[in-house]
Amino acid sequence: MATDRVPDHLKPNLAPLSLYVPEPKFRPGDAVDFTQVPIPPAGKARRPDPADAADTFIDLAFDLVRVLDDEGQAVGPWNPRLSPDTLRAMLRSMALVRAFDERMFRAQRQGKTSFYMKCTGEEAVSVAAAHALDYEDMCFPSYRQQGLLIARGWSMVDMMNQIYSNTADRLQGKQLPIMYSVKEAGFFSISGNLTTQYPQAVGWAMASAAKGDTRIAATWCGDGSTAEGDFHSACTFASVYRAPVIFNVVNNQWAISSFSGFAGAESTTFAARAVGYGIAGLRVDGNDALAVYAATLWAAERARTNQGPTLIEHFTYRAEGHSTSDDPGQYRSAGEPTAWPLGDPIKRLKDHLIALGEWDEERHAAQDKELAEQVKAAQKQAETNGVLGHGLHQPLDTLFDGVFEEMPWHLREQQAQMIAEETASGRPWARKA
Amino acid sequence: MSETTESSVMPAADAEPSTRMNMIQAINSAMDVMMGRDPDVIVMGEDVGYFGGVFRATAGLQSKYGKTRVFDTPISECGIIGVAVGMGAYGLRPVPEIQFADYIYPALDQLVSEAARLRYRSAGEFTAPITVRSPFGGGIFGGQTHSQSPEGIFTHISGVKTVIPSTPYDAKGLLIAAIEDNDPTIFFEPKRIYNGPFDGHWDKPTQNWSQHPAGEVPTGYYKIELGKAKVVRPGEALTVLVYGTMVHVALAVMEEAGVDAEVIDLRTLVPLDIETIEASVKKTGRCMIVHEATRTSGFGAELSALVQERCFYHLEAPIERVTGFDTPYPHSLEWAYFPGPVRIGEALKKIMKDA
Ligand SMILES: Cc1ncc(C[n+]2csc(CCOP(=O)(O)OP(=O)(O)O)c2C)c(N)n1
Ligand SMILES: [Mg+2]
């Protein structure tokens, strides 16, 4: 029967099928030319009323909301008109994130811990969002949003204790470094399994709505992670229940060695995913802190007024390796990070403040120095609690804590067995006080 | 009794060219050989194409066989396995990689309800001749999502085979057999021993495969039949049933303790080489089971039940199970979790108490 579908007289004219497999534009050794990447001018994208129906601004899912122009001016309807103090606070947080990353990356290289992940070039995405959200709003991050914690003023020493799995680690050495969990700062426990946080954020938001609360949820995942089924489940649930949630897709264009074309970016934008689900979608210059701030504030207003979810694609670039286990020189051109046309988010915000007459290069350099010292001091303090590379710091019997609320018989037995082993080994480890 | 192994243990003497390989190279060589022999064999998975995989297991395959036979995939394990099932239905022989066994869970429905059931539910009209490769196991400070040993989940599923090699030589021969097999196979690669056979002493330097006889691997085609265990150390005092990384840990403990143990590397968990197990336990009268995976409902429980059912009247001591604890894999305390020399040594004392 199927053969009837193509009339016989047409068959000889059909070329054989061929399988399309995406390929990034540049590989190691290639000269980089990003002129093909469409970058609309700052200030051009329209700003709908946050109460507008999602299907009335579908164009914004294919546009690029930009506020900071090439001269460092904030322009157009999305300009959030922030006070110089707020701008300086954001700049400081972003610079602090970078200083923290530098230091912890080096600590891993020095053998002080097993793993680290930087967010270099993506600092605006999390820092500006943290400034636009209320402190009470709940964040469901991926592993690259350390900026949320830093911008929320969370203790760097506490973060480092986790990175070192040391005696003061709030997670008792149980988690891989950087997989923080800080309920007090509205920061959900990070999972190693990609995109699981997406439907969880929707559930939290649905619960908040069901309880008549005022708090909303926000979640983040990478471009590559949008391929996971959890992403799509989250969008469906959020759409159905109009959940007060903000979906952030951090499109840094790489997922380890796979460029964003393997997540569908050759065919459409990530913001366009929203259109199919009937939810609001915005595509934003992720290296423009003011655009990220404005989009987040706009989405938060929609969520807070029962207009439902918004998906924000943050168009950015992963300026460094995926993690300490990765060497990007093996799969992408070394010229990409510097050629990236949307620049460095820290420099762009700095230039804006300077253009406003509210900052200067000397103050910036002094601040960088001060922040480096601050991180160094935090590191010194954290290291008084030990570093992973110098042995095991967790009391041995904490291994069984937290599997269940109460320990069943079989775990109690195994715990006793472990203590007996420790004695038999002749190398006693620390015990819980 | 099955004609276990010795014939298949070492490279045939008839001068097939061979070379030193670590386990990653051996796995790479198996895919290379099979892609060269069979145009229907394709390799797919996250980062496996241009980059050659985060552990480099597929390095060089894309440049050799092209992008339509070796390609990167979206980060969707459910999609990877579902697509592999569909390709298999067309007639291809996909070898999908799941980057870490800890990330196989999104694919469970496609594996359990689809790949494993296709032959049965279509009365053989459709099959899923796929080989799912995935690095598994801990001991690399990978934390709870880069360390798990979920083999027991798959041995519980009727319709999938589960294979776990412990040497480069076996890895290549078993992977070739798995790819040629017409049923879906889970091929878990013990990543702790990718570079060398780890003896369980985490605080001492590790050997490389270049110093181990099973690091000598034929460069061409050969296969090791699925469902055949290997007696890696013959002995009379007790039988040790083990697979993957733990083969080397258990062997080292037995050697250090000077116990005449018969150590059996199961290599295939399903279908299991029950004849070799039964013959050995009936001979030694003692059985110890070692795996890194958590204890409750682990594959050791199945082995223990089988030995009890078949060898009860030959047993001279209760069966000992040495396993990981029933907790998630911890990051910093991983060596307290790992069933290393001390845990195995304690079990050895117990089982040999009245000997
Ligand atoms: C379920 C699952 N599959 C695979 C992985 C392995 N993995 C970790 S990060 C990553 C790439 C993610 O890329 P993207 O979503 O773009 O985020 P980015 O790292 O760029 O921030 C992969 C494949 C994982 N952690 N979880
Ligand atoms: Mg990415």
Side-chain angles (χ1 to χ4, degrees):
Chain A
M1 291 300 281
T3 47
D4 297 344
R5 299 254 167 85
V6 182
D8 276 343
H9 68 278
L10 280 181
K11 275 192 190 154
N13 297 326
L14 282 177
L17 294 167
S18 63
L19 180 66
Y20 178 75
V21 179
E23 183 63 29
K25 294 254 175 343
F26 317 110
R27 287 296 192 186
D30 290 345
V32 172
D33 175 6
F34 280 131
T35 48
Q36 300 301 314
V37 180
I39 309 240
K44 273 292 279 295
R46 69 193 178 104
R47 183 181 183 279
D49 191 282
D52 286 357
D55 62 1
T56 61
F57 50 84
I58 285 169
D59 51 304
L60 289 175
F62 304 90
D63 205 329
L64 197 64
V65 172
R66 304 182 65 216
V67 174
L68 290 174
D69 69 13
D70 294 343
E71 278 71 53
Q73 301 296 332
V75 295
W78 287 93
N79 180 3
R81 300 176 194 287
L82 298 174
S83 72
D85 280 345
T86 303
L87 294 173
R88 277 189 291 262
M90 291 208 299
L91 182 67
R92 187 181 175 86
S93 292
M94 285 162 61
L96 187 54
V97 172
R98 190 165 294 181
F100 184 92
D101 277 356
E102 289 297 333
R103 197 95 202 152
M104 290 296 97
F105 186 90
R106 208 170 338 141
Q108 192 276 345
R109 287 293 187 251
Q110 292 165 341
K112 291 176 176 175
T113 190
S114 54
F115 182 75
Y116 192 73
M117 296 179 104
K118 294 169 126 183
C119 66
T120 311
E122 303 171 38
E123 293 89 348
V125 172
S126 49
V127 168
H131 280 266
L133 292 169
D134 283 355
Y135 192 85
E136 285 68 37
D137 293 334
M138 185 68 189
C139 298
F140 289 80
S142 86
Y143 46 72
R144 230 183 274 286
Q145 279 78 51
Q146 54 266 55
L148 292 172
L149 279 176
I150 300 240
R152 284 187 163 190
W154 193 251
S155 151
M156 289 191 293
V157 176
D158 189 70
M159 294 167 75
M160 289 170 176
N161 288 336
Q162 197 280 330
I163 291 167
Y164 288 145
S165 280
N166 65 22
T167 48
D169 173 9
R170 56 178 32 248
L171 306 184
Q172 302 179 306
K174 287 177 167 141
Q175 258 291 38
L176 196 68
I178 67 99
M179 299 283 176
Y180 314 108
S181 175
V182 189
K183 191 174 185 180
E184 225 182 301
F187 190 95
F188 190 70
S189 156
I190 299 173
S191 174
N193 295 56
L194 297 172
T195 339
T196 50
Q197 71 276 18
Y198 250 62
Q200 294 161 356
V202 176
W204 196 97
M206 286 169 64
S208 182
K211 285 286 190 185
D213 202 339
T214 57
R215 295 173 295 167
I216 63 170
T219 185
W220 287 260
C221 79
D223 45 288
S225 301
T226 61
E228 291 284 7
D230 281 352
F231 176 88
H232 301 274
S233 304
C235 289
T236 304
F237 274 72
S239 169
V240 167
Y241 298 104
R242 301 192 188 164
V245 63
I246 303 174
F247 295 130
N248 295 282
V249 173
V250 186
N251 176 11
N252 64 10
Q253 305 183 59
W254 289 91
I256 309 186
S257 78
S258 306
F259 85 117
S260 56
F262 282 102
E266 286 188 332
S267 307
T268 188
T269 68
F270 291 100
R273 297 279 183 264
V275 177
Y277 292 103
I279 65 186
L282 295 178
R283 193 159 170 273
V284 169
D285 175 352
N287 289 11
D288 176 344
L290 298 190
V292 172
Y293 183 101
T296 306
L297 199 68
W298 181 91
E301 187 177 332
R302 281 183 78 82
R304 280 188 225 291
T305 53
N306 284 312
Q307 314 289 321
T310 301
L311 192 160
I312 305 174
E313 172 186 345
H314 303 268
F315 194 39
T316 179
Y317 183 83
R318 196 193 77 206
E320 300 208 9
H322 172 73
S323 71
T324 45
S325 314
D326 179 43
D327 170 14
Q330 304 227 8
Y331 52 78
R332 71 181 190 189
S333 169
E336 281 198 18
T338 40
W340 178 239
L342 292 176
D344 173 359
I346 296 182
K347 182 175 184 308
R348 286 177 65 192
L349 188 56
K350 179 189 81 174
D351 290 349
H352 175 55
L353 270 160
I354 292 174
L356 290 178
E358 293 285 346
W359 196 244
D360 56 55
E361 294 288 357
E362 292 70 40
R363 282 168 82 183
H364 195 80
Q367 174 171 284
D368 273 347
K369 232 170 129 189
E370 179 209 331
L371 296 177
E373 286 305 318
Q374 200 181 323
V375 173
K376 210 165 135 188
Q379 184 186 27
K380 218 168 147 192
Q381 196 186 329
E383 289 182 4
T384 62
N385 303 314
V387 300
L388 179 68
H390 294 168
L392 305 174
H393 299 282
Q394 298 306 318
L396 190 55
D397 32 9
T398 58
L399 177 61
F400 288 86
D401 292 350
V403 180
F404 296 105
E405 186 173 12
E406 282 176 37
M407 208 181 288
W409 68 267
H410 67 290
L411 290 183
R412 283 200 306 275
E413 260 187 36
Q414 291 176 19
Q415 191 176 36
Q417 182 191 349
M418 182 186 63
I419 301 294
E421 276 174 23
E422 178 212 17
T423 313
S425 75
R427 286 187 304 189
W429 291 347
R431 297 279 174 78
K432 212 155 50 171
Chain B
M1 186 179 160
S2 68
E3 73 308 19
T4 342
T5 65
E6 291 322 313
S7 57
S8 63
V9 174
M10 296 310 295
D14 57 6
E16 278 287 324
S18 68
T19 183
R20 305 307 292 187
M21 292 188 199
N22 64 29
M23 198 186 279
I24 296 170
Q25 291 163 332
I27 286 163
N28 182 281
S29 173
M31 287 185 275
D32 189 1
V33 165
M34 287 311 293
M35 295 193 81
R37 286 168 68 97
D38 180 352
D40 288 337
V41 174
I42 65 104
V43 166
M44 62 195 275
E46 295 158 17
D47 302 295
V48 305
Y50 183 90
F51 183 49
V54 295
F55 288 101
R56 324 294 299 134
T58 57
L61 295 180
Q62 186 180 70
S63 58
K64 188 161 175 186
Y65 297 104
K67 284 200 301 180
T68 55
R69 291 188 64 198
V70 182
F71 51 87
D72 291 319
T73 62
I75 305 173
S76 169
E77 292 74 15
C78 156
I80 292 168
I81 302 301
V83 163
V85 170
M87 291 180 151
Y90 179 89
L92 299 188
R93 207 167 270 282
V95 186
E97 174 182 299
I98 299 294
Q99 200 164 78
F100 285 86
D102 314 68
Y103 303 141
I104 205 166
Y105 307 122
L108 271 189
D109 197 30
Q110 285 291 343
L111 281 167
V112 174
S113 315
E114 304 304 316
R117 302 292 144 80
L118 203 49
R119 177 186 297 283
Y120 193 82
R121 78 174 193 224
S122 69
E125 245 181 17
F126 294 101
T127 59
I130 69 178
T131 303
V132 182
R133 291 181 41 248
S134 191
F136 90 125
I140 59 158
F141 277 108
Q144 49 189 268
T145 56
H146 303 89
S147 305
Q148 294 165 65
S149 297
E151 68 274 15
I153 293 178
F154 297 97
T155 58
H156 190 61
I157 304 305
S158 46
V160 285
K161 296 182 177 176
T162 304
V163 177
I164 298 176
S166 71
T167 66
Y169 179 83
D170 281 2
K172 179 169 175 182
L174 288 166
L175 183 54
I176 287 176
I179 293 171
E180 287 191 341
D181 195 279
N182 288 327
D183 285 311
T185 302
I186 308 285
F187 190 88
F188 280 136
E189 301 167 3
K191 59 181 173 292
R192 185 63 180 80
I193 56 170
Y194 266 159
N195 292 314
F198 172 63
D199 64 5
H201 293 289
W202 52 271
D203 45 358
K204 296 193 186 130
T206 327
Q207 227 196 346
N208 282 328
W209 282 117
S210 60
Q211 298 153 270
H212 190 283
E216 186 70 22
V217 180
T219 51
Y221 173 92
Y222 68 97
K223 67 175 168 176
I224 296 173
E225 200 184 332
L226 303 186
K228 294 277 183 256
K230 171 171 151 187
V231 177
V232 290
R233 184 195 188 285
E236 303 292 329
L238 83 153
T239 299
V240 181
L241 304 180
V242 63
Y243 51 89
T245 301
M246 300 313 295
V247 169
H248 306 282
V249 181
L251 266 176
V253 173
M254 299 306 142
E255 297 295 343
E256 285 160 24
V259 175
D260 187 23
E262 179 144 298
V263 179
I264 300 177
D265 177 356
L266 299 177
R267 303 198 293 193
T268 304
L269 307 193
V270 175
L272 186 66
D273 184 353
I274 192 66
E275 288 173 26
T276 299
I277 295 172
E278 212 177 311
S280 176
V281 177
K282 283 182 175 163
K283 176 178 75 171
T284 64
R286 287 182 164 77
C287 179
M288 179 191 289
I289 297 156
V290 185
H291 61 60
E292 191 185 328
T294 47
R295 187 177 187 83
T296 301
S297 300
F299 193 64
E302 179 62 30
L303 290 171
S304 175
L306 283 167
V307 169
Q308 186 275 139
E309 285 162 5
R310 290 159 182 260
C311 309
F312 182 77
Y313 295 105
H314 296 264
L315 287 175
E316 289 163 31
I319 299 165
E320 281 291 325
R321 266 193 295 161
V322 184
T323 69
F325 295 129
D326 285 329
T327 72
Y329 216 104
H331 175 246
S332 73
L333 286 178
E334 76 173 5
W335 296 118
Y337 173 91
F338 188 85
V342 178
R343 198 168 310 159
I344 298 173
E346 292 296 290
L348 187 61
K349 278 186 217 154
K350 261 169 83 185
I351 203 170
M352 299 308 292
K353 194 168 61 197
D354 301 318

